[in-house]
Amino acid sequence: MMKRVLFVCLGNICRSPTGEAVLKRMIQENNLSHLLACESAGTAGYHIGERPDHRTRAHGEKRGYRFDSLAQQFDPKKDFEAFDLIVCMDRSNLQNVLRLDLTGKYRDKVKLLMEFAIDASNLEVPDPYYEGAEAFETVIDLCENACRGLIHSLAR
Ligand code: 4NP
């Protein structure tokens, strides 16, 4: 059975496109495209239609990741039904998504990405937008760890 995963952050230009790029590569490398698919979205609409942040692309492309989607805003009318798992980067993103689930019907689909990580000391992927290069590297490290766990938990 195909599982669909949506990565969610605030702007959909830094963290959630990184999660999407990392998981897409793992899906491809592990021949799991019949089992797993993913996209990303932001809870805010400021950057709709934009490519990922140039720093996200620069750091990710150095590790061989490809960024091929444009920013879109989380759409409660479609996304709660369309996705099996909605993984949020931080607790603020999680609260923003849960607030849109007016009846609580989709509560169990909404999680923090880092819940899937191996030995995570922090359950949040920190917002790198106002930070330096190191913060963008950390986002990729955290996404790689969590996506490995996510693949193990979903692809069986
Ligand atoms: P993201 O990072 O949520 O990881 O995409 C941000 C991108 C843009 C803004 C904040 C965070 N912003 O304030 O425009």
Side-chain angles (χ1 to χ4, degrees), residues 37-56:
C38 68
E39 283 184 42
S40 65
T43 58
Y46 328 124
H47 297 284
I48 291 172
E50 292 178 20
R51 299 168 72 199
D53 187 278
H54 64 96
R55 298 162 295 173
T56 295

Side-chain angles (χ1 to χ4, degrees), residues 9-16 46-47 127-130:
C9 62
L10 179 62
N12 193 211
I13 54 170
C14 299
R15 291 166 293 173
S16 59
Y46 328 124
H47 297 284
D127 185 351
Y129 193 67
Y130 296 105

Side-chain angles (χ1 to χ4, degrees), residues 2-46:
M2 184 77 157
K3 288 260 170 58
R4 292 186 169 78
V5 177
L6 184 67
F7 291 90
V8 173
C9 62
L10 179 62
N12 193 211
I13 54 170
C14 299
R15 291 166 293 173
S16 59
T18 302
E20 178 184 348
V22 168
L23 188 61
K24 278 187 170 159
R25 191 166 89 190
M26 288 183 185
I27 289 169
Q28 190 180 29
E29 286 175 351
N30 293 283
N31 297 313
L32 293 171
S33 58
H34 59 297
L35 286 179
L36 262 184
C38 68
E39 283 184 42
S40 65
T43 58
Y46 328 124

Side-chain angles (χ1 to χ4, degrees), residues 88-107:
C88 301
M89 293 293 169
D90 65 26
R91 290 188 177 86
S92 161
N93 308 146
L94 182 90
Q95 287 311 315
N96 288 335
V97 171
L98 291 180
R99 260 201 295 274
L100 297 169
D101 177 17
L102 302 179
T103 65
K105 182 177 177 191
Y106 304 103
R107 177 66 191 87

